[in-house]
Amino acid sequence: MTTPELQTPDAAGAKVAGGALLIDVRSAAGRASAGEIPGATLADRNDLDALFGPSDNPAITLDTPVVIVCGSINGSGPVAEALAARGYTDVSHVDGGFPAWKEAGLPATEAEPTAAP
């Protein structure tokens, strides 16, 4: 099994700019409260089969470069490891998660305004 690479936001952004599939595994509430990454594929980190297909019949080729982002590496790390265990050969995740991605000046939207009570 290939070990997923923990990348700086800049390195991950460059990988995405080069064609890697960017997958955001944060919850809808997490994205609403912090902002989103335009163009990212959204996935439920507890249901990888929905996006990647069953491990014996992958929907995305195993050599596709994949970058995982979550709110922190505590969310993205297990997803990256699960994809590597499924046979994906080019998996990385963002050190510092979405907050670091946004702080690095990479493409991101602002959080949704909250409604006044």
Side-chain angles (χ1 to χ4, degrees), residues 54-94:
S55 48
D56 62 346
N57 186 20
I60 298 169
T61 60
L62 297 177
D63 61 351
T64 300
V66 178
V67 175
I68 308 294
V69 67
C70 194
S72 73
I73 62 170
N74 295 331
S76 62
V79 173
E81 289 171 10
L83 292 178
R86 287 173 173 240
Y88 286 86
T89 58
D90 189 355
V91 179
S92 57
H93 60 122
V94 180

